[in-house]
Amino acid sequence: MTEDYEVEFIERGDRQSRFLVRGVTPAFANGIRRAIIADVPTLSIDTVRMVENSSVMFDEQIGLRLGLVPLSTPLGEFEEGDTVTLSLDVSGPGTAYSGDLVSSDGMVQPADDNVPIIDLKDDQRLELEADAVLSTGKDHAKHQGGVAVGYRHLQRVEVVGDRDEYDEEEETRILRGVIEDDGELVSTEEFDHDLTNRYPGKEIEVHDVDNAFVFHVETDGSLSIDELVTEAAASISDRADELEQAVQL
């Protein structure tokens, strides 16, 4: 990878984004993907202490569901291994949701309030305390802030001529993602992912653009897209520094 890389956002949101990175190698692009999934620490419920559970669900099943509730993770406030306590006290009839969790730290809250935990009937009650721990996706999948992370080469479309009227009908070319057309980035959704809709009657060629990759990243809400990607890049830099120091010893 060189220092002359460029980043351009195509779609930008707190939970889902697409962006183009130019000037990086395939190895570095895959390194970013892996770091987003495995190296960025998030808070997730790890230990549950049941006070009362008169529901129809075993304690272990409830603990599993609680562990899958994304929690907001403020950057720089905790170190790996730190814990935050949350409590839940809900009586039936009704449904216990993630929004019913009460955190001991105002900075740590469920990323979504509408995640169902259990449906309680009359005279059923669920009361518990839980410890959320800061850890990474390489330790457990519940700490993966990036729930959908992928990338592909940016592709360039070149019109090479008009298709002869006697030629066989061109096979439909299906692309999903973003293409470069005369320097302009175009989402393939604009033409229903079918290049024959964008270039009717034209003969075209599609080429991968060297060292240019379109990333699609979705987060569970524990971190924003900007935080997730920035922390992933920082983790790669930190590991590179550690390797450099180790080699010099």
Side-chain angles (χ1 to χ4, degrees):
M1 175 186 150
T2 69
E3 295 182 357
D4 298 327
Y5 64 90
E6 299 177 2
V7 179
E8 180 180 352
F9 273 88
I10 301 162
E11 299 175 7
R12 190 168 192 166
D14 286 340
R15 294 288 188 98
Q16 180 173 322
S17 290
R18 277 198 293 183
F19 55 91
L20 170 66
V21 183
R22 297 180 187 267
V24 297
T25 64
F28 185 82
N30 191 49
I32 286 289
R33 181 192 66 83
R34 291 173 62 89
I36 291 173
I37 293 173
D39 292 345
V40 181
T42 65
L43 285 161
S44 184
I45 290 175
D46 186 66
T47 304
V48 178
R49 296 178 293 276
M50 289 292 179
V51 178
E52 180 179 346
N53 178 16
S54 54
S55 71
V56 297
M57 188 172 290
F58 293 119
D59 295 352
E60 293 81 2
Q61 292 174 299
I62 294 174
L64 174 63
R65 291 191 174 192
L66 290 171
L68 297 177
V69 174
L71 301 174
S72 60
T73 304
L75 291 177
E77 299 294 334
F78 302 97
E79 296 182 356
E80 286 193 46
D82 287 351
T83 61
V84 175
T85 300
L86 299 96
S87 61
L88 178 67
D89 188 354
V90 180
S91 298
T95 301
Y97 289 95
S98 54
D100 296 319
L101 288 165
V102 179
S103 174
S104 62
D105 191 319
M107 295 184 295
V108 179
Q109 300 292 335
D112 295 297
D113 291 337
N114 59 350
V115 179
I117 298 171
I118 188 172
D119 187 30
L120 298 171
K121 306 301 182 183
D122 291 330
D123 300 325
Q124 293 182 347
R125 181 167 177 246
L126 179 61
E127 183 181 2
L128 58 86
E129 285 188 349
D131 291 335
V133 65
L134 186 71
S135 190
T136 60
K138 62 187 175 186
D139 292 329
H140 197 287
K142 65 185 178 182
H143 294 287
Q144 291 181 1
V147 293
V149 184
Y151 68 92
R152 62 177 298 169
H153 266 288
L154 175 66
Q155 294 182 305
R156 175 174 55 84
V157 178
E158 179 183 1
V159 178
V160 295
D162 294 327
R163 178 160 294 281
D164 191 278
E165 61 178 319
Y166 297 107
D167 288 349
E168 295 181 3
E169 185 176 352
E170 182 182 12
E171 293 183 1
T172 301
R173 295 174 182 263
I174 300 295
L175 294 179
R176 294 194 179 275
V178 175
I179 62 171
E180 187 175 41
D181 183 15
D182 291 332
E184 178 188 4
L185 297 179
V186 180
S187 172
T188 59
E189 295 172 356
E190 294 185 13
F191 47 87
D192 197 26
H193 309 291
D194 187 345
L195 285 175
T196 59
N197 291 334
R198 185 171 178 84
Y199 306 97
K202 299 293 184 179
E203 184 178 352
I204 57 176
E205 293 180 354
V206 180
H207 308 277
D208 288 342
V209 179
D210 291 338
N211 297 332
F213 301 91
V214 178
F215 282 80
H216 177 91
V217 180
E218 293 184 39
T219 170
D220 63 0
S222 55
L223 296 167
S224 69
I225 292 291
D226 288 7
E227 292 171 331
L228 190 63
V229 176
T230 301
E231 287 298 300
S235 73
I236 293 178
S237 177
D238 291 343
R239 281 186 290 163
D241 290 341
E242 292 176 4
L243 178 61
E244 182 179 10
Q245 293 176 5
V247 171
Q248 292 175 352
L249 292 178

